[in-house]
Amino acid sequence: GAGVSQSPRYKVAKRGQDVALRCDPISGHVSLFWYQQALGQGPEFLTYFQNEAQLDKSGLPSDRFFAERPEGSVSTLKIQRTQQEDSAVYLCASSLEYRTGNTIYFGEGSWLTVV
Amino acid sequence: DQQVKQNSPSLSVQEGRISILNCDYTNSMFDYFLWYKKYPAEGPTFLISISSIKDKNEDGRFTVFLNKSAKHLSLHIVPSQPGDSAVYFCAAEGGTSYGKLTFGQGTILTVHP
């Protein structure tokens, strides 16, 4: 597609439920990022993939968060046993190459509300 | 610790005038800076960027200035238009954060007709 596509756009989960958020990056983009944006804050880095390799997962807040990109294109962010503090917008982004200065394009985000 | 700060939560400007959005950073390893614009219920959209080897980059109505010694950058929008009303995020990358962005908290810009 023309841009980064994320699904679902909106998700309401009961506390303790597992959720999976999907990201389709721009075709041909090597780098894929997941960010978390809390209300009133800027996006915060969660994890980064170069093709299928997860090179940096330093931003994942706990071991309940897991991301994968098995074939180097589509990625899934999974949150197990969701808690209220997980409520946020989860943004996926991609860029053509892995180098400083490469424009990073964001999707519209998946809005997660944990009740 | 907040490595990238946007100290003004909001800014209100009259249409046709200049909008100046400011951003400060603390990490001297940052060497590339970007501005993103975000409308409600949408993802951030890339606006303009600047490398640390430059002190100015211009693209149409948008100009970004970088003052490395002060660890400060600003985005100038001239002339401002009502369609520019959005949240503007400053972001930085470089050093050990190579390939990932550190964002500021954002500034809400409102341009009045």
Side-chain angles (χ1 to χ4, degrees):
Chain A
V4 179
S5 178
Q6 293 188 245
S7 62
R9 287 294 316 278
Y10 303 95
K11 174 71 178 178
V12 178
K14 290 185 177 179
R15 193 169 59 176
Q17 187 179 353
D18 296 349
V19 300
L21 308 175
R22 176 189 167 103
C23 173
D24 273 284
I26 295 172
S27 178
H29 277 198
V30 167
S31 298
L32 185 145
F33 304 84
W34 283 99
Y35 284 80
Q36 180 190 56
Q37 185 175 15
L39 193 64
Q41 300 296 317
E44 291 193 0
F45 171 82
L46 292 178
T47 186
Y48 160 71
F49 290 87
Q50 184 178 356
N51 295 307
E52 69 278 3
Q54 190 175 18
L55 298 186
D56 188 339
K57 52 182 180 179
S58 61
L60 296 176
S62 77
D63 59 7
R64 297 186 296 103
F65 287 72
F66 171 77
E68 60 183 4
R69 194 187 185 196
E71 297 178 359
S73 55
V74 171
S75 176
T76 304
L77 176 66
K78 297 179 180 178
I79 309 173
Q80 297 177 324
R81 304 181 303 281
T82 53
Q83 300 178 6
Q84 281 193 313
E85 61 261 31
D86 300 334
S87 296
V89 179
Y90 291 86
L91 294 163
C92 179
S94 70
S95 68
L96 186 59
E97 297 175 15
Y98 175 58
R99 60 175 176 84
T100 300
N102 219 238
T103 300
I104 296 176
Y105 298 91
F106 283 82
E108 294 185 318
S110 290
W111 295 62
L112 173 65
T113 302
V114 181
V115 297
Chain B
D1 65 341
Q2 197 79 33
Q3 295 189 64
V4 177
K5 290 184 182 180
Q6 294 175 255
N7 291 317
S8 297
S10 63
L11 175 67
S12 183
V13 171
Q14 203 69 28
E15 181 178 7
R17 308 294 284 268
I18 184 171
S19 295
I20 300 176
L21 297 102
N22 294 303
C23 178
D24 297 292
Y25 63 96
T26 57
N27 189 339
S28 58
M29 297 298 289
F30 288 144
D31 56 11
Y32 196 73
F33 304 90
L34 307 91
W35 284 93
Y36 282 83
K37 174 180 178 180
K38 186 181 182 304
Y39 292 117
E42 294 185 11
T45 303
F46 171 75
L47 198 56
I48 192 169
S49 62
I50 188 167
S51 166
S52 60
I53 61 172
K54 295 185 175 182
D55 55 16
K56 177 182 174 181
N57 189 27
E58 194 170 351
D59 184 3
R61 297 185 297 114
F62 303 91
T63 303
V64 56
F65 296 91
L66 176 62
N67 182 333
K68 282 185 64 179
S69 60
K71 294 192 177 66
H72 177 84
L73 64 156
S74 61
L75 174 68
H76 292 211
I77 306 174
V78 184
S80 301
Q81 300 173 354
D84 296 330
S85 298
V87 181
Y88 288 78
F89 290 99
C90 167
E93 69 171 335
T96 57
S97 69
Y98 183 74
K100 73 186 188 192
L101 301 177
T102 302
F103 281 86
Q105 311 94 306
T107 297
I108 301 170
L109 173 65
T110 304
V111 180
H112 299 283

